[in-house]
Amino acid sequence: MVHLIWAGLACIGIIYGLFNGTIADVNEAIFSSAQEAIQLIIGLASVLVFWLGIMKIAEEANILKQLSRAFKPFIARLFPDIPKDHQVIGYITSNFIANLFGLGNAATPLGLKAMQGMKGLSENDEATRSMITFLVINTSSLTLIPTTVIALRMQYLSHSPTEIVLATLIATCLSTSAAILIDRLFYFKRVNKKR
């Protein structure tokens, strides 16, 4: 659906440029934007490759397993519907760790596997309590190192691209705490309504 919206907006802009007599400006904007997008992608790719390499080193050094063990009791409390030794817990933990280091692109496949696993545990097509909780926490995304934002700031020649780390940590701690509280509030409200 989103691709249709973007295509519609592009077509409207081109048609408006034709009728308004500014099609040359539209062409110039298209090509300059395409060039900027390629430069941005190359800059972001290098930083993401670096952090994905760090994650791979952490995985080989069993740091991720230790982090998973540290997070396991917390995740078991957040997702009581999922058996404690189920494979989904590993996907959820890995997704949270990737988000913690600001690697949203690396977290996405893990999040999709976690959702598929939770759907497999479900008996119907409705979203389960665990699926909703996972979605809410994943959306609020607690982040220690905002890798992508730092890469963007470096790309646009920021004098100190890492100065946002503390602000990001505070903002994402607040958003994740609020997300968990609101999720629990609505869950208990639903449970009480059924009684």
Side-chain angles (χ1 to χ4, degrees):
M1 182 65 180
V2 173
H3 65 285
L4 293 175
I5 293 171
W6 281 110
L9 289 172
C11 289
I12 290 169
I14 292 169
I15 291 168
Y16 180 78
L18 283 171
F19 285 112
N20 198 25
T22 57
I23 194 67
D25 294 336
V26 171
N27 280 336
E28 185 179 330
I30 288 171
F31 290 113
S32 66
S33 297
Q35 184 177 0
E36 280 182 36
I38 295 299
Q39 289 173 346
L40 184 65
I41 288 169
I42 290 169
L44 283 176
S46 61
V47 174
L48 287 174
V49 165
F50 170 76
W51 281 105
L52 288 171
I54 295 290
M55 288 284 284
K56 188 67 176 168
I57 291 168
E59 183 181 358
E60 294 293 325
N62 288 329
I63 295 171
L64 290 182
K65 280 187 180 178
Q66 292 170 2
L67 281 172
S68 292
R69 276 193 217 114
F71 279 113
K72 206 167 192 174
F74 177 68
I75 289 176
R77 288 183 59 85
L78 279 174
F79 302 97
D81 300 353
I82 301 174
K84 289 183 182 176
D85 293 329
H86 199 278
Q87 186 178 17
V88 173
I89 296 289
Y91 290 137
I92 291 171
T93 306
S94 298
N95 175 274
F96 286 172
I97 291 170
N99 276 328
L100 210 57
F101 292 110
L103 301 171
N105 294 338
T108 301
L110 298 166
L112 291 173
K113 285 183 179 180
M115 279 295 206
Q116 286 173 344
M118 286 185 272
K119 177 125 175 75
L121 292 171
S122 175
E123 297 172 3
N124 55 34
D125 287 339
E126 289 183 15
T128 63
R129 172 187 180 185
S130 295
M131 292 169 88
I132 294 168
T133 301
F134 178 72
L135 185 62
V136 165
I137 294 171
N138 202 24
T139 303
S140 66
S141 188
L142 177 63
T143 306
L144 288 178
I145 304 167
T147 307
T148 306
V149 177
I150 291 171
L152 285 169
R153 289 173 60 89
M154 288 170 61
Q155 184 78 19
Y156 288 104
L157 306 175
S158 171
H159 291 290
S160 75
T162 58
E163 73 182 353
I164 54 143
V165 171
L166 181 62
T168 302
L169 179 61
I170 292 169
T172 58
C173 278
L174 291 172
S175 69
T176 301
S177 299
I180 292 170
L181 286 172
I182 291 169
D183 174 62
R184 290 300 183 244
L185 178 75
F186 276 93
Y187 172 72
F188 289 122
K189 192 175 178 182
R190 227 179 10 251
V191 167
N192 288 334
K193 193 182 272 190
K194 287 181 180 177
R195 287 181 183 171

